[in-house]
Amino acid sequence: MAFLKALWDSYQANVTAARHLPAQALQMYADRFDELVADAHGDTAKTALDYGLVDELLSRDAMRERIRALTGEPTTEDRQKDDYTAIDFHDYVEAMRRSHPPPSRRDKIAVIVASGTILDGKQPPGSIGGDSLAELIRHARADKNVKALVLRVDSGGGSAFASDVILRELEVFQQTKRPLVVSMGSVAASGGYWISMSADEIWASPATLTGSIGVGATVPTFQNTLEHLGVHIDGVGTTKLSGATDILRGLGDNVKAYIKESVHNTYDEFIDKVAQHRKRSVEEIDQAARGRVWAGMDALDRGLVDRLGNLDDAIESAAGLAGLESGRYQIEYIEPQVGLAERLVMQLTSAAAPAVRALTGGPRL
């Protein structure tokens, strides 16, 4: 698929540039991996070394000595024990956050994170609730010190209704003449694109999966399973729609027709809104839509995003659109209010994290 090639090309470009390798080196490494391993007599670590993907092969004690040399720590020979002062990455970030609170400035760039499946109503962290996220956007709009809003989107979509609730709230924010910039994470597709489309600027990474401008509907039914078990459903109703949506009976033809028309209508609405916000024709958007998924570079070529970059780039651009000088504004993450019970759980989890990592050997994939 096109987006897989785009992701692979982006990955190759990053690796070969960082390792100072020829452009096609990684492709050749992957295609000839079995031959290269055979040349190294089955030693995969030596294969990576010979090919230039790593600089040196070291044991753990040698790695500790290398760290000591880089940081100016005394070597093991000069110490009584094989140890040195160190801090885990996660603990370091948390310590820096506590010791370096954001400076107090009146002008602010608000950042709201929309991560997870988009669902109706209010949802806990880990999902995007239509009402929950809309409330955070209203909070940003009510704060006169917020000069621009950056929405960080990492979602493959979900409810069309909830997505439209969020989009409308973002449009209302933009009516205050303050910039809205979207920064796409690993994925911002389908509903994730729906909530992004009105932004003054849309930023994506070359590896972002976006687009998937399409609509679908799935209704599970169990009539065949029940039939196999010898279970039958019966009843009476007053209209043709009575029991037509009963998942134990199967969908009636009239309901199937209704769902089909609803899907077509929502798709037409989707591409119309994208065309309006992206200032392109419906025909152009339809060519890039139809459920297709694009990597960031391809999405840029098709006008679905404006720039390539990370969250910091998006924040800096939002500040520029708002007329704020670099370093003269505060970045404020607007997050849901957490109750006492949730705060206690989060604090206990945070406190236990170092011990858990020590017992489990660190983060795992």
Side-chain angles (χ1 to χ4, degrees):
M1 297 178 69
F3 78 86
L4 289 177
K5 184 179 184 304
L7 293 179
W8 174 236
D9 290 343
S10 174
Y11 178 71
Q12 286 189 89
N14 290 333
V15 172
T16 54
R19 299 302 304 167
H20 306 290
L21 297 172
Q24 293 301 312
L26 205 60
Q27 184 70 54
M28 293 174 61
Y29 179 79
D31 292 341
R32 299 183 54 239
F33 184 69
D34 56 335
E35 300 174 25
L36 297 172
V37 171
D39 291 341
H41 305 290
D43 189 336
T44 54
K46 186 177 184 300
T47 302
L49 177 67
D50 292 342
Y51 209 78
L53 295 180
V54 300
D55 296 307
E56 196 171 349
L57 304 181
L58 296 173
S59 59
R60 289 191 178 186
D61 60 296
M63 179 65 75
R64 287 193 289 269
E65 292 301 319
R66 175 61 58 82
I67 293 174
R68 288 194 182 94
L70 291 174
T71 59
E73 284 275 344
T75 63
T76 305
E77 297 175 356
D78 301 325
R79 298 172 63 93
Q80 296 298 317
K81 58 180 181 177
D82 183 22
D83 195 12
Y84 57 89
T85 303
I87 184 171
D88 178 86
F89 168 74
H90 298 87
D91 296 333
Y92 172 78
V93 171
E94 184 61 29
M96 290 298 293
R97 185 179 289 122
R98 292 198 197 102
S99 60
H100 293 79
S104 177
R105 299 189 180 98
R106 291 184 60 82
D107 292 339
K108 295 185 289 189
I109 303 295
V111 179
I112 297 177
V113 177
S115 178
T117 302
I118 302 174
L119 303 171
D120 295 328
K122 292 189 175 183
Q123 299 296 331
S127 299
I128 303 171
D131 295 343
S132 309
L133 190 57
E135 185 176 341
L136 297 182
I137 298 167
R138 286 195 297 274
H139 180 80
R141 175 162 55 91
D143 188 345
K144 301 304 180 183
N145 292 327
V146 170
K147 304 304 180 183
L149 173 61
V150 175
L151 182 67
R152 176 68 170 180
V153 179
D154 197 348
S155 173
S159 164
F161 178 79
S163 299
D164 204 48
V165 168
I166 295 166
L167 174 66
R168 180 54 191 161
E169 203 63 57
L170 291 168
E171 291 172 337
V172 173
F173 175 88
Q174 291 176 282
Q175 290 174 4
T176 66
K177 307 302 181 183
R178 288 177 283 181
L180 167 66
V181 174
V182 162
S183 169
M184 293 179 167
S186 59
V187 58
S190 193
Y193 192 83
W194 190 303
I195 67 176
S196 303
M197 68 172 97
S198 74
D200 298 291
E201 283 186 356
I202 299 177
W203 287 72
S205 80
T208 295
L209 295 181
T210 188
S212 189
I213 300 172
V215 183
T218 303
V219 182
T221 60
F222 303 95
Q223 72 276 14
N224 293 336
T225 301
L226 295 175
E227 181 74 24
H228 180 74
L229 296 174
V231 178
H232 305 279
I233 306 298
D234 201 352
V236 295
T238 57
T239 73
K240 291 182 179 181
L241 288 177
S242 297
T245 58
D246 189 341
I247 62 175
L248 301 181
R249 296 185 177 192
L251 300 180
D253 291 338
N254 50 358
V255 174
K256 291 179 182 178
Y258 150 72
I259 293 175
K260 181 179 179 180
E261 289 301 319
S262 178
V263 166
H264 282 301
N265 177 70
T266 305
Y267 177 74
D268 290 341
E269 181 184 3
F270 199 168
I271 60 174
D272 283 345
K273 285 178 179 286
V274 175
Q276 175 186 346
H277 286 298
R278 301 301 298 166
K279 296 180 173 57
R280 291 176 176 267
S281 69
V282 172
E283 291 73 24
E284 284 180 289
I285 297 302
D286 185 45
Q287 288 298 315
R290 303 179 187 178
R292 295 182 181 89
V293 179
W294 307 103
M297 184 63 74
D298 293 329
L300 179 66
D301 292 340
R302 287 160 178 78
L304 298 181
V305 304
D306 299 299
R307 313 265 309 260
L308 296 180
N310 56 27
L311 176 59
D312 291 337
D313 296 325
I315 292 173
E316 184 178 348
S317 181
L321 292 174
L324 302 179
E325 296 180 21
S326 179
R328 303 293 297 175
Y329 56 85
Q330 175 183 337
I331 300 171
E332 179 179 297
Y333 281 80
I334 299 180
E335 300 172 328
Q337 294 295 320
V338 180
L340 176 61
E342 292 171 303
R343 286 201 302 272
L344 288 174
V345 171
M346 292 171 64
Q347 289 173 1
L348 289 171
T349 302
S350 177
V356 171
R357 283 194 294 271
L359 291 173
T360 60
R364 298 182 181 180
L365 296 176

